Amino acid sequence: MIKTDILIIGAGPTGLFTVFEAGLLKLKCHLIDALPQPGGQCAEIYPKKPIYDIPGFPEVLAGDLVDNLMKQITPFEPGFTLGERADTIEKLDDGSFIVTTNKGTKHHAPVVAIAGGLGSFEPRKPLIENLAGYEDKGVEYIIRDPELYRDKCVVIAGGGDSALDWSIFLSEVASEVTLVHRRNEFRGALDSVEKVQELKKLGKINLLTPAEITELEGNGKLEAVIAEKEGERIRLETDHFIPLFGLAPKLGPIAGWGLEIEKNAIKVDNTLDYQTNVPGIYAIGDVNTYPGKLKLILCGFHEATLMCQSAYQRIFPDKKYVMKYTTVSGIDGFDGTRKEAPKAVVKAIE
């Protein structure tokens, strides 16, 4: 059983910043996310795309924002359960909660903060008849351990950043990488497109466009895929097929937790603390809704800040927290580190 003060469901920017605000209140946090790494959409879908509306940053890449947030919360030593989806919730007699993931990992906390962005992300799957039969038998939708592909033949399908970036990375790991896309043009970062072009010329990546994978073959495990290119059927022997068509957000099992839902979002009280209709469960960031809601990262940061103040009062009802500016109080990390502004020296001038 993993025990913490605030259990955060969703490790995107809003969930990560919650760790910082909670840390200032001496509250420990643990985060659950279905993705294999922190950062949510920013890390998984568009790490190289610029964001222009983060205060203090005229321009910041989504991936860099995640890196900065991870650095910012390091002193508060958050825990992570990654690659697992929050599945069920049980409210105990004392008002605390036990949240269990789809893999059976149990978490216990007096406060649950749902910061799941647009929901848990499910991979968009190609319409191939026998696809499900090869899942985890050569077909993967998310690359969790690149070493799985060491010295293997890999076919990647897709035309965005993920397909390009993983093709580049695996060209140094796999024995053979083939990138298949239904168009000749790719929608990704220019440097990634140019790198794939360069690796194609060097013979490190096979490029098959415009083409689509339409069939899978194998006996007990994947052995080959069939690609259709301009009416021609091409058989590619492979150990792995990785369709990277992006992720589709779904509220998932949270929709069955007894929370008030409106248009696939969780209704909250925005006049006070972004608490749901279930006391002790909050929803912050893009996953919530209220009159005037804007789905912006900076709004999620604001909601996280107010939510943590309410969470503190719930956990310590007999204590009164006196807010101090960090420029005055400094920051004391759970790891023993301290940050503070230089103190003025009082000295007489002779």
Side-chain angles (χ1 to χ4, degrees):
M1 182 81 73
I2 296 171
K3 295 186 178 182
T4 190
D5 295 318
I6 301 179
L7 180 63
I8 304 168
I9 299 173
T14 296
L16 295 177
F17 189 68
T18 302
V19 176
F20 178 79
E21 288 297 323
L24 296 179
L25 300 171
K26 309 300 182 189
L27 300 177
K28 290 279 291 182
C29 292
H30 190 94
L31 301 94
I32 302 173
D33 202 294
L35 296 175
Q37 75 283 318
Q41 294 183 68
C42 289
E44 183 69 18
I45 301 177
Y46 52 89
K48 294 184 178 179
K49 289 188 177 179
I51 302 174
Y52 300 106
D53 59 359
I54 303 298
F57 290 92
E59 177 181 339
V60 60
L61 296 181
D64 290 343
L65 175 63
V66 171
D67 291 342
N68 288 340
L69 285 166
M70 289 295 291
K71 182 178 179 181
Q72 187 176 23
I73 67 176
T74 295
F76 298 120
E77 300 180 323
F80 289 92
T81 299
L82 299 174
E84 300 183 30
R85 184 189 65 229
D87 226 20
T88 63
I89 191 167
E90 176 189 358
K91 191 168 186 176
L92 304 182
D93 292 340
D94 64 358
S96 64
F97 303 89
I98 293 179
V99 174
T100 306
T101 71
N102 60 318
K103 294 186 178 179
T105 308
K106 294 183 179 294
H107 309 75
H108 182 216
V111 169
V112 174
I114 303 173
L118 298 173
S120 63
F121 286 93
E122 304 291 336
R124 291 190 175 96
K125 302 179 182 182
L127 299 176
I128 301 175
E129 185 176 345
N130 56 346
L131 183 69
Y134 290 103
E135 290 175 353
D136 298 323
K137 298 175 183 177
V139 172
E140 295 88 29
Y141 305 105
I142 295 175
I143 297 175
R144 290 186 168 87
D145 180 12
E147 283 301 311
L148 177 67
Y149 309 99
R150 174 73 62 183
D151 301 325
K152 303 289 186 180
C153 291
V154 177
V155 174
I156 294 175
D161 284 316
S162 291
L164 292 165
D165 292 344
W166 279 116
S167 295
I168 293 168
F169 185 90
L170 292 180
S171 68
E172 300 296 328
V173 176
S175 60
E176 183 179 6
V177 174
T178 301
L179 176 59
V180 180
H181 183 38
R182 60 193 177 95
R183 296 190 179 95
N184 289 318
E185 302 81 18
F186 288 85
R187 297 188 65 178
L190 180 60
D191 60 335
S192 296
V193 175
E194 291 176 342
K195 183 65 174 176
V196 168
Q197 182 68 35
E198 177 186 341
L199 291 171
K200 177 193 173 186
K201 291 179 180 178
L202 294 173
K204 291 189 174 183
I205 289 179
N206 302 318
L207 195 58
L208 190 60
T209 62
E212 291 187 69
I213 303 299
T214 57
E215 298 176 40
L216 307 179
E217 295 181 354
N219 184 16
K221 65 181 183 65
L222 185 67
E223 296 173 0
V225 299
I226 305 298
E228 287 197 7
K229 174 180 168 63
E230 298 173 334
E232 179 187 1
R233 295 177 81 253
I234 302 171
R235 187 177 189 272
L236 304 171
E237 292 188 1
T238 188
D239 300 299
H240 295 275
F241 171 50
I242 311 171
L244 297 175
F245 298 145
L247 300 169
K250 294 182 180 179
L251 203 51
I254 291 174
W257 286 9
L259 306 174
E260 194 172 351
I261 307 294
E262 182 180 287
K263 295 181 179 179
N264 207 42
I266 303 170
K267 290 186 70 173
V268 295
D269 178 9
N270 67 307
T271 62
L272 184 61
D273 55 9
Y274 304 98
Q275 196 161 193
T276 69
N277 60 302
V278 178
I281 301 180
Y282 301 78
I284 52 177
D286 288 357
V287 77
N288 74 15
T289 186
Y290 53 83
K293 169 69 179 182
L294 292 176
K295 293 183 182 294
L296 297 172
I297 292 174
L298 64 93
C299 294
F301 290 167
H302 163 77
E303 294 165 11
T305 304
L306 297 186
M307 182 279 295
C308 286
Q309 296 289 326
S310 176
Y312 181 89
Q313 292 302 320
R314 178 177 175 81
I315 296 170
F316 301 111
D318 298 327
K319 289 186 179 181
K320 183 178 180 180
Y321 175 74
V322 179
M323 193 197 81
K324 294 181 180 178
Y325 299 116
T326 55
T327 51
V328 175
S329 64
I331 297 174
D332 292 303
F334 299 153
D335 58 359
T337 62
R338 176 169 174 76
K339 292 182 179 179
E340 62 180 334
K343 289 183 169 56
V345 177
V346 179
K347 185 177 181 181
I349 299 177
E350 299 178 357

